């Protein structure tokens, strides 16, 4: 991700949108540039997989991607208007991508939830706690507003 995570996500959204003729809205908040490289790559790959699944398996025409990099938590939401599916079906060939997203999220120490039903689209919500002891986080905590 030589161009940085936010630029890479914007490029992904633009190229998928143009190539497949659909609308992809991307909103980014927080400071993604200082995330550890493993988190940047992991978030990019998960977003790429979720978007590809929405297009290829869900037949989505509109996809919304929200990324929020706060000092203590990283979150991602990918929501589409596709066909949806029954998450209780287990891992089938079509759901292998979801399995890989779960594994990648767990390797980052995070969790992923999927909300979907046939005919209702799919929403994927990922959260990854970020270590407050890193120099990036300590600086934000020391100079930022009080928590709670």
């Amino acid at each position: 991700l030589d161009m940085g995570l936010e630029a890479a996500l914007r490029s992904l959204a633009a190229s998928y949108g143009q190539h497949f003729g659909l609308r992809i809205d991307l909103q980014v908040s927080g400071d993604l540039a200082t995330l550890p490289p493993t988190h940047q790559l992991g978030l990019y790959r998960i977003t790429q997989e979720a978007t590809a699944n929405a297009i290829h398996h869900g037949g989505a025409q509109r996809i919304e991607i929200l990324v929020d990099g706060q000092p203590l938590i990283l979150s991602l939401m990918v929501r589409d208007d596709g066909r949806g599916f029954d998450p209780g079906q287990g891992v089938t060939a079509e759901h292998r991508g979801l399995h890989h997203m779960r594994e990648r999220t767990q390797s980052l120490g995070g969790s992923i939830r999927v909300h979907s039903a046939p005919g209702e689209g799919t929403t994927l919500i990922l959260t990854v706690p970020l270590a407050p002891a890193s120099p990036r986080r300590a600086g934000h905590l020391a100079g930022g507003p009080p928590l709670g």
Side-chain angles (χ1 to χ4, degrees):
L1 295 175
D2 294 337
M3 66 175 75
L5 178 57
E6 184 172 351
L9 290 173
R10 292 197 183 286
S11 176
L12 175 76
S15 65
Y16 274 26
Q18 183 178 19
H19 183 77
F20 294 103
L22 53 100
R23 181 175 166 186
I24 300 179
D25 296 320
L26 172 67
Q27 293 181 4
V28 176
S29 59
D31 184 8
L32 304 182
T34 57
L35 289 172
T38 54
H39 286 64
Q40 289 192 37
L41 181 60
L43 189 70
Y44 178 81
R45 293 290 183 218
I46 291 165
T47 304
Q48 185 179 41
E49 182 71 36
T51 304
N53 283 353
I55 295 166
H56 297 298
H57 301 300
Q61 292 301 304
R62 183 163 186 260
I63 300 170
E64 182 181 12
I65 303 168
L66 304 174
V67 182
D68 188 17
Q70 293 301 313
L72 296 177
I73 195 160
L74 172 64
S75 60
L76 166 70
M77 184 192 74
V78 180
R79 178 173 35 215
D80 70 66
D81 67 352
R83 286 187 285 277
F85 67 99
D86 178 359
Q89 279 184 331
V91 178
T92 65
E94 288 187 359
H95 300 131
R96 248 185 241 129
L98 181 57
H99 178 72
H100 293 156
M101 286 186 281
R102 284 187 198 283
E103 285 182 340
R104 192 176 291 271
T105 301
Q106 289 171 354
S107 76
L108 296 173
S111 63
I112 191 167
R113 293 185 321 249
V114 177
H115 303 283
S116 188
E120 295 185 16
T122 300
T123 300
L124 176 140
I125 300 169
L126 170 144
T127 55
V128 177
L130 300 170
S134 72
R136 162 188 145 83
R137 306 295 170 218
H140 281 283
L141 291 175
L147 299 175

